[in-house]
Amino acid sequence: MSNPFFSFIIKAVVILIIAFGIHLAILSTLDLPLFENRIVPAYLVNLILVVGIFGVLYLLREKYKSQLGFLFLAGSLLKFTVFFIVFYPFYKLDGVITKLEFAAFFAPYVIGLILESVSLSKWLNKLD
């Protein structure tokens, strides 16, 4: 049986690389700047957070089995905290958060959240 954590890492890296490529392709098609709005750090930070949170949940799966849902929510809170500490000040420098700035962070955030939720739910169903 393969380790769900390592499978998740590979899946997360591949999916976020594909999403990053699609994101850049859309920006290119619309003749918009490709590497502005902290897009690279946004994808990297979201990847690290998604893998880290899933890893913590994996490590705590035995001891805190009934609280994993709450720990998952705490991970989401951590992601928002990182956004407000790391990205929000730069996005708000000009007084407004543009659609491109919003998309640069929230596209990988949403993709990571969906991947994390689906993987966690499949994994938890196998634990029963």
Side-chain angles (χ1 to χ4, degrees):
M1 180 156 101
S2 68
N3 184 320
F5 178 61
F6 292 119
S7 299
F8 178 79
I9 291 172
I10 292 167
K11 191 184 311 181
V13 168
V14 168
I15 288 174
L16 281 169
I17 286 173
I18 291 169
F20 182 68
I22 292 169
H23 196 148
L24 291 180
I26 292 169
L27 291 173
S28 178
T29 301
L30 298 173
D31 290 325
L32 296 168
L34 298 183
F35 296 103
E36 289 187 6
N37 304 312
R38 300 186 179 270
I39 191 170
V40 173
Y43 274 86
L44 288 174
V45 166
N46 273 295
L47 175 63
I48 290 166
L49 287 170
V50 164
V51 168
I53 291 165
F54 193 88
V56 168
L57 294 175
Y58 184 75
L59 290 173
L60 300 176
R61 71 190 182 280
E62 303 280 329
K63 189 172 183 180
Y64 297 103
K65 185 177 179 182
S66 62
Q67 288 90 10
L68 286 178
F70 292 110
L71 294 171
F72 174 77
L73 291 174
S76 293
L77 179 63
L78 173 65
K79 288 184 215 173
F80 274 110
T81 302
V82 168
F83 167 74
F84 282 106
I85 292 171
V86 176
F87 294 96
Y88 186 78
F90 296 102
Y91 291 160
K92 202 66 173 154
L93 277 175
D94 59 0
V96 67
I97 297 178
T98 66
K99 291 178 184 178
L100 292 176
E101 291 169 333
F102 179 81
F105 183 82
F106 282 102
Y109 171 80
V110 167
I111 291 164
L113 182 64
I114 291 168
L115 174 64
E116 202 175 22
S117 300
V118 169
S119 298
L120 186 61
S121 108
K122 285 181 181 178
W123 171 57
L124 287 175
N125 284 333
K126 288 180 183 178
L127 288 180
D128 291 333

